[in-house]
Amino acid sequence: AAGVIQSPRHLIKEKRETATLKCYPIPRHDTVYWYQQGPGQDPQFLISFYEKMQSDKGSIPDRFSAQQFSDYHSELNMSSLELGDSALYFCASHLGGAGSYNSPLHFGNGTRLTVT
Amino acid sequence: KNEVEQSPQNLTAQEGEFITINCSYSVGISALHWLQQHPGGGIVSLFMLSSGKKKHGRLIATINIQEKHSSLHITASHPRDSAVYICAVENYGGSQGNLIFGKGTKLSVKP
């Protein structure tokens, strides 16, 4: 069965550069969540989308933005990268909407971003 | 104080042992998730529960809403169970994936 796909798996950037991470949810899943997990840290929720609209917002820095496209994939855009942005960024998807409460979350394997 | 506390932080067991990982939380929740994270970062959702008990194979998860406590049990542990187990809660009123994560329990099962 198709899983949540993230690309790239690894990314190395320099300070002040920009990065774009992509998340392809399971087919028909219309809800995507983004998380950041720093080295040795617990994950933090960043932002979520349902049906191409932002549905919830967590601790996402102003330098970051995200969107969800018509095919439900989502992209996390990160600008003016800082050393502290080095982390594992992973996404999750599920089928949202009415009656979807018990729809389980499916996680991607993450993109490991290193800022030098 | 963290909103989600897990214990123990690290756990080493011999193959075949019964394992319990505990999770306590201090916020009102809609549901609680148990997740498994392997080296390299991949996360698998094990359970999502809002009451009672769920069982899947050798894994059992329980939750006591009144006591704000959940446990994950692994019966007949195996070296392939070695991973980080993370408890995460959905804050009441938030979206399903807007999770508050615990710091995880690193489990190592020795053959």
Side-chain angles (χ1 to χ4, degrees), chain A residues 9 33 35 37 42-45 48 56 88 90 94 100-103 105 107-109 112, chain B residues 30-31 33 35 37 40-43 45 48 86 90 94-99 101-103:
Chain A
R9 286 300 312 273
Y33 304 88
Y35 306 91
Q37 185 177 24
D42 41 309
Q44 299 289 321
F45 167 72
S48 64
D56 205 350
L88 177 70
F90 59 95
H94 79 115
S100 67
Y101 183 69
N102 284 323
S103 171
L105 288 171
F107 291 85
N109 285 329
R112 189 165 297 280
Chain B
S30 304
H33 297 250
L35 310 171
Q37 186 172 33
I43 290 181
S45 176
M48 180 176 80
I86 301 172
E90 294 177 25
S95 58
Q96 184 171 336
N98 184 346
L99 301 174
F101 294 83
K103 294 197 176 299

Side-chain angles (χ1 to χ4, degrees), chain A residues 12-58:
Chain A
I12 300 174
K13 290 285 186 178
E14 295 187 356
K15 282 194 310 183
R16 293 180 287 278
E17 284 192 320
T18 60
T20 296
L21 310 185
K22 298 183 180 182
C23 172
Y24 295 87
I26 286 175
R28 296 192 305 115
H29 280 192
D30 51 13
T31 307
V32 170
Y33 304 88
W34 283 98
Y35 306 91
Q36 176 193 56
Q37 185 177 24
Q41 303 295 312
D42 41 309
Q44 299 289 321
F45 167 72
L46 293 179
I47 195 167
S48 64
F49 293 88
Y50 166 61
E51 281 290 345
K52 294 159 280 183
M53 300 286 289
Q54 181 181 310
S55 55
D56 205 350
K57 192 173 180 182

Side-chain angles (χ1 to χ4, degrees), chain A residues 77-90:
Chain A
N77 300 294
M78 312 160 72
S79 62
S80 303
L81 287 169
E82 302 173 356
L83 295 179
D85 296 328
S86 295
L88 177 70
Y89 292 84
F90 59 95

